[in-house]
């Protein structure tokens, strides 16, 4: 069973930076896609960034150039460096893991989320 634990959220002023971390435990493969989603109050959960096992990264248009996703397979971890934050980035950020091979292919695993609040 896969478990994901996020950390690093908090309160930051507009223009500031935060770094989110997610550590995965369980049966993790380097081919699994790992990424970040977010959900603001009253809105649907949306993709922020994903790091595929082959090294390909994908970003939401709204964070392109400001956020950077990275991954450390030695620690089964994924990180999200967030710069130039705006109040529109305020949301609960969820770590996601999605196997792309094997019997659990396509199944989504989620962390419990970490709250990011951008406010003066």
């Amino acid at each position: 069973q896969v478990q994901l634990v996020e950390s690093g959220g908090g309160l930051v002023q507009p223009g500031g930076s935060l770094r989110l971390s997610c550590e995965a435990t369980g049966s993790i493969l380097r081919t699994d896609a790992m990424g970040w989603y977010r959900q603001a109050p009253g809105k649907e959960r949306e993709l922020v960034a994903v790091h595929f096992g082959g090294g390909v990264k994908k970003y939401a248009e709204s964070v392109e150039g400001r956020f950077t996703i990275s991954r450390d397979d030695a620690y089964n971890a994924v990180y999200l460096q967030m710069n130039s934050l705006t109040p529109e980035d305020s949301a609960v950020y969820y770590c996601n893991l999605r196997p792309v091979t094997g019997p659990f292919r396509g199944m989504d695993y989620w962390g419990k989320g970490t709250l990011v609040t951008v406010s003066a």
Side-chain angles (χ1 to χ4, degrees):
Q1 191 72 304
V2 173
Q3 292 188 327
L4 304 171
V5 178
E6 305 100 333
S7 62
L11 173 64
V12 63
Q13 293 187 342
S17 299
L18 278 177
R19 185 173 186 254
L20 305 183
S21 300
C22 172
E23 293 191 12
T25 59
S27 180
I28 313 298
L29 299 177
R30 296 193 176 193
T31 54
D32 295 341
M34 295 186 72
W36 294 91
Y37 287 69
R38 68 186 180 187
Q39 187 167 19
K43 295 187 177 181
E44 294 186 354
R45 190 173 297 189
E46 62 176 1
L47 172 71
V48 177
V50 61
H51 193 303
F52 295 96
V56 175
K57 304 174 186 180
K58 178 181 177 181
Y59 296 92
E61 188 174 329
S62 59
V63 308
E64 187 85 51
R66 300 187 298 123
F67 291 11
T68 302
I69 189 170
S70 60
R71 179 171 175 165
D72 188 336
D73 288 325
Y75 295 96
N76 290 331
V78 65
Y79 309 97
L80 186 68
Q81 177 66 43
M82 305 186 294
N83 299 328
S84 302
L85 286 161
T86 73
E88 289 69 36
D89 295 316
S90 298
V92 177
Y93 283 69
Y94 296 93
C95 182
N96 170 268
L97 183 145
R98 181 181 297 172
V100 297
T101 62
F104 303 106
R105 175 182 177 183
M107 180 178 294
D108 282 314
Y109 296 92
W110 298 96
K112 293 183 178 180
T114 185
L115 178 64
V116 171
T117 303
V118 185
S119 176

